[in-house]
Amino acid sequence: WGNLEDGPEYGSVRLPSTDRDIGRFGLAFRNWLEAKLDATQPSLIAVEEPIFPSKNTQIMTLRKLYVLAGIVEMVAVERKIRIFEETIGTIRVGFLGHNKVNKQMKPYPITFACQERGWDPKTTDEADALALWVHAYRVWEPERSLKLDPLFMG
C-alpha cells in the first residue's frame, strides 16, 4: 500500500491458523483489511489473482486464497473503491520483462528488482506485492509511474 509520493509500505500479515475453519480465517482477514483501509483510505485496491489448482495444491490452500480474493472484492464494492486484479505472470512480465521466475530461485529475481528500487522485502510474497503495486501504477497512472523505473529513480 502507498502512494507514489511517499512510496510503498509493505510487510507481511500472519493470519491465525484455523485449520479447516474458513469462516474464522475469512473474518480475521476482513477485520485486518477493514482496519488497513480505514487507516490508509485508498482509491484503488490491487490484488494478485488467486492461483489455479494444480496437482500439488491442497484444497484448503485454494479455498483460503479464493476466500481472500472474494473478501477484498466485497469490501471494495461496499466502500466504492476501485479494484484491480492481475495474474502473477502479467505482474512479473511488467516488473521484470519476463516470467521466467519461480519462488525457489535464489536470489529471487523480483526481490532483487525491488532492492534495485531501494526496497527490502523480507519474503517472496512481499516482493510480489511490491511488483503488483508498481504494476497497478503503470496501468492506472502510466505517466507518473515512470518514477518507479530504476532508470528514472533518484
Side-chain angles (χ1 to χ4, degrees), residues 39-101:
T40 59
Q41 298 295 308
S43 60
L44 171 71
I45 300 173
V47 296
E48 180 184 321
E49 183 179 281
I51 60 173
F52 290 108
S54 74
K55 64 181 179 184
N56 297 325
T57 309
Q58 298 292 316
I59 188 67
M60 288 308 295
T61 300
L62 292 171
R63 287 184 64 199
K64 288 179 178 182
L65 289 173
Y66 287 112
V67 162
L68 295 176
I71 289 171
V72 170
E73 289 190 36
M74 178 183 66
V75 170
V77 168
E78 283 177 342
R79 291 177 174 240
K80 297 176 177 49
I81 301 171
R82 186 174 43 182
I83 186 154
F84 174 71
E85 184 175 286
E86 191 61 86
T87 65
I88 188 61
T90 300
I91 295 164
R92 288 172 176 163
V93 169
F95 196 63
L96 298 173
H98 63 84
N99 187 23
K100 296 175 179 69
V101 176

Side-chain angles (χ1 to χ4, degrees), residues 74-150:
M74 178 183 66
V75 170
V77 168
E78 283 177 342
R79 291 177 174 240
K80 297 176 177 49
I81 301 171
R82 186 174 43 182
I83 186 154
F84 174 71
E85 184 175 286
E86 191 61 86
T87 65
I88 188 61
T90 300
I91 295 164
R92 288 172 176 163
V93 169
F95 196 63
L96 298 173
H98 63 84
N99 187 23
K100 296 175 179 69
V101 176
N102 69 60
K103 290 201 175 197
Q104 288 69 45
M105 295 173 100
K106 303 291 184 217
Y108 185 54
I110 294 178
T111 299
F112 182 77
C114 287
Q115 291 165 340
E116 286 185 312
R117 290 166 169 81
W119 308 323
D120 189 26
K122 304 297 182 215
T123 67
T124 56
D125 291 331
E126 287 179 19
D128 287 345
L130 285 163
L132 172 60
W133 183 81
V134 169
H135 182 70
Y137 267 107
R138 285 185 175 153
V139 169
W140 290 99
E141 297 189 42
E143 298 82 21
R144 291 183 61 218
S145 71
L146 281 176
K147 68 186 294 180
L148 300 172
D149 190 305

